[in-house]
Amino acid sequence: MDIQKSYQQDNGVGKLYLVGTPIGNLEDMTFRAVRILKEVQWIAAEDTRQTRKLLTHFDIATRLVSYHEHNKHASGPELIRLLQTGEDIALVSDAGLPAICDPGADLVRQAIDAGIAVIPIPGANAALSALIVSGLSTERFTFLGFLPRDRKPLQQELESLKQRNETMLFYESPHRIMKTLEAMLEVWDPERQMCLMRELTKKYEEAARGTIRECYELLQEHPPQGEYCIVVQGSTDSENEVSDAWWEGFSPEEHVEHYTTQGLDRKEAIKRAAADRQIPKRELYNYLHQK
């Protein structure tokens, strides 16, 4: 077990700060974020050109180093070495909170393994911003990032999510959003409620609220522009009524096999089958391994 006391330990190594940055509006930069970026010895950025604009705006002269998906295997160990020598590093993404849908998560794990304190500096987040204005339930929600690009894996992923009751959050690009909504129309109830949020915090911020079908028709009339956050209602009553009976003729083994043939690994297939049957997944796992 690892217990981190962020501000009560001094083991001679540096700290890794995860600094939230604006997702569009520079006024969303916090005072604390500016102070930390000025105080650390290094800033590790996903796109140094983009981050340099931010630093210039806030008159921050801290040294900048590149850390992104294509150089993380070389840059990551070097950043850990710098931290171990006692230097503090701030990690930033192009927009929003770092380590969400970006390679910063790998650096966080490496830092934890090396005994380095990892400290969040909260800031703007696109998914949660879209959720709270969507009008959909915020009691339970799941962030799922970007869906698969290719048609078959996309449909399989949506099928595996079909019976989820909680609100679901996705990111999507303007180039792929039509294909994503087409797949949702095919797999899910077209009458599910949805919010398409684009250009968050910017001049042309827009929230389109309606059914999946209505949002798809809107994008047919008005071509997609900007990056999107998709907020979707969980399974509807009509979908649940259908799902109550579809697996009743299956044995537990056949039920799990049904999900593995859709591309899920066995662990996830057992979890999904157990949820359908409303039994603990451990109970189903034990049953299958006693056969």
Side-chain angles (χ1 to χ4, degrees):
M1 173 176 282
D2 171 67
I3 299 177
Q4 171 184 308
K5 295 186 182 296
S6 301
Y7 304 105
Q8 299 174 28
Q9 60 189 50
D10 183 8
N11 54 5
V13 301
K15 292 180 172 61
L16 176 63
Y17 294 93
L18 308 182
V19 180
T21 56
I23 57 177
N25 191 321
L26 288 174
E27 292 181 355
D28 290 335
M29 191 72 167
T30 69
F31 291 112
R32 188 183 181 204
V34 172
R35 176 177 64 79
I36 292 296
L37 292 180
K38 288 183 176 181
E39 290 179 354
V40 296
Q41 283 72 53
W42 297 90
I43 297 172
E46 186 177 4
D47 183 338
T48 55
R49 293 168 300 179
Q50 188 71 20
T51 300
R52 200 174 299 280
K53 297 175 185 177
L54 178 73
L55 301 186
T56 299
H57 181 84
F58 290 101
D59 195 26
I60 299 169
T62 306
R63 290 174 291 183
L64 199 57
V65 63
S66 174
Y67 178 84
H68 51 71
E69 183 65 35
H70 303 295
N71 75 352
K72 65 181 182 181
H73 297 297
S75 183
E78 176 60 18
L79 293 175
I80 297 298
R81 186 192 67 78
L82 290 170
L83 287 161
Q84 289 174 326
T85 66
E87 299 200 331
D88 294 330
I89 297 177
L91 176 69
V92 299
S93 65
D94 289 348
L97 293 174
I100 297 179
C101 288
D102 75 32
D106 295 329
L107 185 62
V108 169
R109 173 47 56 188
Q110 292 172 27
I112 292 171
D113 291 343
I116 293 162
V118 181
I119 300 173
I121 308 298
N125 175 264
L128 292 180
S129 297
L131 172 65
I132 61 176
V133 301
S134 68
L136 299 176
S137 173
T138 60
E139 293 297 317
R140 294 181 62 198
F141 57 89
T142 299
F143 172 70
L144 295 151
F146 288 93
L147 286 162
R149 290 175 177 270
D150 296 329
R151 180 180 176 81
K152 185 176 180 180
L154 171 59
Q155 290 183 318
Q156 290 175 337
E157 179 74 6
L158 293 176
E159 188 67 43
S160 74
L161 297 170
K162 189 173 184 177
Q163 306 309 322
R164 300 286 282 266
N165 294 318
E166 71 271 26
T167 302
M168 289 175 280
L169 315 176
F170 304 92
Y171 287 156
E172 195 52 278
S173 72
H175 311 293
R176 292 168 42 189
I177 193 166
M178 289 298 288
K179 291 182 178 179
T180 295
L181 293 193
E182 286 170 3
M184 288 181 176
L185 283 172
E186 293 174 11
V187 178
W188 293 348
D189 181 352
E191 299 307 307
R192 282 198 196 201
Q193 291 296 309
M194 156 184 284
C195 176
L196 293 182
M197 194 83 201
R198 71 180 187 91
E199 298 294 274
L200 268 161
T201 76
K202 301 176 184 177
K203 181 179 180 180
Y204 296 105
E205 176 179 288
E206 178 181 274
R209 304 180 182 93
T211 65
I212 298 177
R213 189 192 309 279
E214 289 171 337
C215 288
Y216 177 72
E217 291 173 350
L218 173 70
L219 293 184
Q220 285 184 311
E221 296 176 10
H222 304 280
Q225 291 183 315
E227 300 297 318
Y228 283 82
C229 287
I230 305 175
V231 187
V232 192
Q233 173 190 4
S235 58
T236 62
D237 291 340
S238 62
E239 288 172 315
N240 287 331
E241 288 171 6
V242 172
S243 70
D244 285 344
W246 72 264
W247 53 266
E248 285 183 358
F250 287 179
S251 68
E253 295 90 341
E254 290 170 336
H255 199 163
V256 172
E257 178 67 17
H258 168 80
Y259 283 119
T260 58
T261 57
Q262 291 183 350
L264 299 181
D265 62 35
R266 186 167 176 80
K267 181 179 178 181
E268 182 62 28
I270 291 174
K271 179 180 177 182
R272 179 65 58 193
D276 290 342
R277 292 172 178 265
Q278 297 185 337
I279 61 175
K281 63 182 179 181
R282 173 58 61 181
E283 181 179 325
L284 180 57
Y285 178 87
N286 291 337
Y287 173 85
L288 295 171
H289 285 77
Q290 289 170 0
K291 298 292 285 182

